[in-house]
Amino acid sequence: MFKASLIAAACAVFAVSAAHAEAPVFKPQTLVLKNIPKAAGPAVSIFNGKDLNDWSGWLGYPDPSRTYNAGDAKPIGAGGVGSIFTVVTEDGAPALRVSGETWGSLVHKGDFRNYHLRLEYKWSGKRHAPRLNEPENNGLLYHTHGNPGAVWGTWSRSVEFEIMTGSVGMVVPVGNGLEVDSSVAIDPSIIDPKQRFMAGAPLGSAVGNTALWNIENNSNADKPVGEWNTLDLYVFANHAVHVVNGVPVMEVWGLCDKATETSVCEPLIHGAIQLQSEGAETFFRNITLEPINSLPAIEVVK
């Protein structure tokens, strides 16, 4: 076991080093969104402000600290609507509340492709173990597919638009074999694998549940705890742009899912919308989706 662990650690270090061989060092950029596509059809609300009948809940482990080392523990399974996930009134308007106490997922029953999704979220400041002393955390997961709880007994396979204080817009492939490509630079100031999106940088990748597990946002554009933030997610086929409070912070393409080691990495071009519960009370509102026929462009301000 010890020898296997050493080999795995060595392979992880090698994977990160190899990926970084051609990548430049990150330099701060000012990015703007250009050529924003017009809606190709009417917008629809996927949160009706009354109930969660269009959503399905799934809960992970009774003790969230077991999520990544479950052993013989079993997830709670289907549920959470009416307890972890509820409809409330916040700031005088309907909101979808995620308590964060038990980790899990709320998946919309629709299947979507080629869209612009907009939502507003805010933190209450209330956090739960085991993340009492860590940044508020949640996620907007798209191209969701497969069985509930397939990833760490808690989430469905998907691509994550991270909603975490200081990292909103980061991309995380959720599930073994999920892969995304982007323009990647190396930022020595952040945690491994130290990958950060930089427009115009060489091609880099993130692969679910590997040493190359994420690509950090280009910049932090989120507002302080207690204030509403607006997220815009533009998705066309297996290509997406993440926008935080009007600031583009991530572009990814080549989204694909290699479910087994012998299979082809199948392009991800559609799927459901998934919201996480991951240790912080979160409010969502005004969740709308409209069809588009193209993606906006990200431009570097010189």
Side-chain angles (χ1 to χ4, degrees):
M1 181 66 70
F2 180 68
K3 182 178 180 180
S5 298
L6 286 177
I7 292 173
C11 289
V13 171
F14 177 78
V16 173
S17 298
H20 292 176
E22 302 299 324
V25 174
F26 176 77
K27 295 181 180 179
Q29 298 175 304
T30 299
L31 304 180
V32 294
L33 207 61
K34 296 288 187 178
N35 302 327
I36 298 173
K38 294 182 179 179
V44 297
S45 174
I46 61 172
F47 169 55
N48 64 20
K50 300 176 182 178
D51 56 52
L52 297 176
N53 294 342
D54 294 330
W55 302 74
S56 297
W58 179 273
L59 299 179
Y61 302 95
D63 178 1
S65 67
R66 300 291 299 275
T67 301
Y68 303 111
N69 187 23
D72 294 331
K74 302 296 183 183
I76 297 169
V81 174
S83 56
I84 302 302
F85 309 106
T86 55
V87 178
V88 299
T89 298
E90 182 69 15
D91 293 337
L96 195 167
R97 173 183 177 264
V98 179
S99 76
E101 292 173 272
T102 304
W103 292 11
S105 55
L106 186 69
V107 180
H108 192 272
K109 296 175 182 177
D111 187 277
F112 305 109
R113 69 178 69 210
N114 302 340
Y115 57 83
H116 165 210
L117 183 150
R118 170 171 286 184
L119 63 75
E120 295 174 90
Y121 82 91
K122 78 167 186 175
W123 309 110
S124 70
K126 187 174 183 179
R127 290 174 285 180
H128 303 279
R131 294 189 59 87
L132 283 170
N133 299 310
E134 297 184 54
E136 289 83 2
N137 196 9
N138 203 299
L140 165 60
L141 283 63
Y142 56 102
H143 285 349
T144 293
H145 59 285
N147 295 327
V151 184
W152 304 113
T154 307
W155 300 292
S156 298
R157 298 175 70 80
S158 51
V159 178
E160 181 173 6
F161 182 139
E162 179 68 80
I163 306 175
M164 182 169 69
T165 300
S167 291
V168 180
M170 176 173 76
V171 67
V172 182
V174 179
N176 291 329
L178 265 86
E179 184 172 339
V180 304
D181 297 328
S182 188
S183 297
V184 173
I186 302 308
D187 185 347
S189 70
I190 60 177
I191 64 172
D192 287 338
K194 304 186 184 303
Q195 298 191 130
R196 189 182 287 277
F197 169 64
M198 187 170 79
L203 177 70
S205 300
V207 182
N209 297 347
T210 71
L212 297 170
W213 64 277
N214 82 318
I215 301 170
E216 183 57 274
N217 63 18
N218 178 273
S219 63
N220 295 322
D222 50 317
K223 298 179 182 178
V225 171
E227 296 186 23
W228 289 100
N229 294 266
T230 300
L231 303 185
D232 290 284
L233 168 64
Y234 295 89
V235 179
F236 192 81
N238 61 339
H239 191 164
V241 173
H242 299 184
V243 182
V244 180
N245 294 320
V247 180
V249 298
M250 176 67 60
E251 182 173 11
V252 287
W253 55 88
L255 313 182
C256 67
D257 188 349
K258 188 176 182 181
T260 68
E261 292 184 359
T262 58
S263 69
V264 173
C265 202
E266 295 290 343
L268 286 175
I269 60 173
H270 66 94
I273 302 300
Q274 178 179 184
L275 300 175
Q276 289 183 315
S277 174
E278 200 173 353
E281 184 177 47
T282 319
F283 297 97
F284 294 94
R285 69 182 185 186
N286 299 328
I287 310 175
T288 61
L289 186 149
E290 60 186 20
I292 56 175
N293 290 326
S294 62
L295 287 177
I298 295 178
E299 183 176 292
V300 180
V301 177
K302 301 297 186 180

